[in-house]
Short mmCIF file of all heavy atoms in Angstrom, two decimals:
data_model
loop_
_atom_site.label_atom_id
_atom_site.label_comp_id
_atom_site.label_asym_id
_atom_site.label_seq_id
_atom_site.Cartn_x
_atom_site.Cartn_y
_atom_site.Cartn_z
N VAL K 114 -21.16 -2.59 -6.03
CA VAL K 114 -19.76 -2.22 -6.25
C VAL K 114 -18.98 -3.49 -6.55
O VAL K 114 -19.19 -4.53 -5.92
CB VAL K 114 -19.18 -1.48 -5.02
CG1 VAL K 114 -19.29 -2.33 -3.76
CG2 VAL K 114 -17.73 -1.07 -5.26
N LEU K 115 -18.11 -3.43 -7.55
CA LEU K 115 -17.27 -4.57 -7.92
C LEU K 115 -15.97 -4.07 -8.53
O LEU K 115 -15.79 -2.85 -8.72
CB LEU K 115 -18.00 -5.50 -8.88
CG LEU K 115 -18.35 -5.01 -10.29
CD1 LEU K 115 -18.70 -6.21 -11.17
CD2 LEU K 115 -19.52 -4.05 -10.29
N LYS K 116 -15.08 -5.01 -8.81
CA LYS K 116 -13.75 -4.67 -9.31
C LYS K 116 -13.65 -4.92 -10.82
O LYS K 116 -13.99 -6.01 -11.29
CB LYS K 116 -12.67 -5.48 -8.60
CG LYS K 116 -12.67 -5.33 -7.08
CD LYS K 116 -12.37 -3.91 -6.65
CE LYS K 116 -12.32 -3.80 -5.13
NZ LYS K 116 -12.07 -2.43 -4.67
N MET K 117 -13.20 -3.90 -11.54
CA MET K 117 -12.94 -4.06 -12.97
C MET K 117 -11.44 -4.25 -13.16
O MET K 117 -10.64 -3.50 -12.60
CB MET K 117 -13.41 -2.81 -13.73
CG MET K 117 -13.11 -2.84 -15.22
SD MET K 117 -13.83 -1.43 -16.08
CE MET K 117 -12.93 -0.07 -15.32
N MET K 118 -11.07 -5.24 -13.96
CA MET K 118 -9.66 -5.57 -14.17
C MET K 118 -9.27 -5.34 -15.61
O MET K 118 -9.96 -5.77 -16.53
CB MET K 118 -9.38 -7.01 -13.77
CG MET K 118 -9.66 -7.31 -12.33
SD MET K 118 -9.21 -8.98 -11.89
CE MET K 118 -10.00 -9.09 -10.28
N LEU K 119 -8.14 -4.68 -15.79
CA LEU K 119 -7.55 -4.47 -17.11
C LEU K 119 -6.14 -5.02 -17.08
O LEU K 119 -5.45 -4.97 -16.06
CB LEU K 119 -7.53 -2.98 -17.46
CG LEU K 119 -8.90 -2.27 -17.49
CD1 LEU K 119 -8.72 -0.77 -17.64
CD2 LEU K 119 -9.76 -2.81 -18.62
N LEU K 120 -5.70 -5.57 -18.22
CA LEU K 120 -4.38 -6.19 -18.29
C LEU K 120 -3.41 -5.27 -19.01
O LEU K 120 -3.64 -4.89 -20.16
CB LEU K 120 -4.46 -7.54 -19.01
CG LEU K 120 -3.17 -8.34 -19.09
CD1 LEU K 120 -2.71 -8.75 -17.70
CD2 LEU K 120 -3.35 -9.56 -19.97
N ASP K 121 -2.33 -4.90 -18.31
CA ASP K 121 -1.24 -4.15 -18.92
C ASP K 121 -0.25 -5.18 -19.49
O ASP K 121 0.56 -5.75 -18.76
CB ASP K 121 -0.55 -3.26 -17.87
CG ASP K 121 0.48 -2.31 -18.49
OD1 ASP K 121 0.99 -2.63 -19.58
OD2 ASP K 121 0.77 -1.27 -17.89
N THR K 122 -0.35 -5.45 -20.81
CA THR K 122 0.45 -6.51 -21.42
C THR K 122 1.94 -6.17 -21.45
O THR K 122 2.78 -7.06 -21.47
CB THR K 122 -0.04 -6.80 -22.86
OG1 THR K 122 -0.10 -5.56 -23.59
CG2 THR K 122 -1.43 -7.42 -22.83
N GLU K 123 2.28 -4.88 -21.49
CA GLU K 123 3.70 -4.50 -21.52
C GLU K 123 4.38 -4.81 -20.19
O GLU K 123 5.48 -5.35 -20.15
CB GLU K 123 3.83 -3.01 -21.84
CG GLU K 123 3.40 -2.65 -23.26
CD GLU K 123 3.62 -1.18 -23.56
OE1 GLU K 123 4.13 -0.45 -22.68
OE2 GLU K 123 3.28 -0.75 -24.69
N LYS K 124 3.72 -4.46 -19.09
CA LYS K 124 4.29 -4.70 -17.76
C LYS K 124 3.88 -6.05 -17.19
O LYS K 124 4.35 -6.43 -16.12
CB LYS K 124 3.88 -3.59 -16.80
CG LYS K 124 4.38 -2.21 -17.20
CD LYS K 124 3.93 -1.17 -16.18
CE LYS K 124 4.43 0.22 -16.56
NZ LYS K 124 3.97 1.25 -15.56
N GLU K 125 2.98 -6.76 -17.90
CA GLU K 125 2.44 -8.02 -17.40
C GLU K 125 1.84 -7.83 -16.00
O GLU K 125 2.10 -8.61 -15.08
CB GLU K 125 3.53 -9.10 -17.35
CG GLU K 125 3.89 -9.69 -18.69
CD GLU K 125 2.73 -10.49 -19.30
OE1 GLU K 125 2.06 -11.20 -18.56
OE2 GLU K 125 2.51 -10.37 -20.51
N GLU K 126 1.03 -6.78 -15.87
CA GLU K 126 0.40 -6.48 -14.59
C GLU K 126 -1.11 -6.35 -14.75
O GLU K 126 -1.60 -5.95 -15.81
CB GLU K 126 0.96 -5.17 -14.01
CG GLU K 126 2.41 -5.25 -13.56
CD GLU K 126 2.89 -3.94 -12.98
OE1 GLU K 126 2.14 -2.94 -13.06
OE2 GLU K 126 4.02 -3.90 -12.46
#
Side-chain angles (χ1 to χ4, degrees):
V114 58
L115 67 164
K116 303 297 182 182
M117 177 174 64
M118 299 184 192
L119 301 171
L120 183 65
D121 188 336
T122 52
E123 293 183 1
K124 298 181 180 179
E125 284 294 320
E126 291 181 353

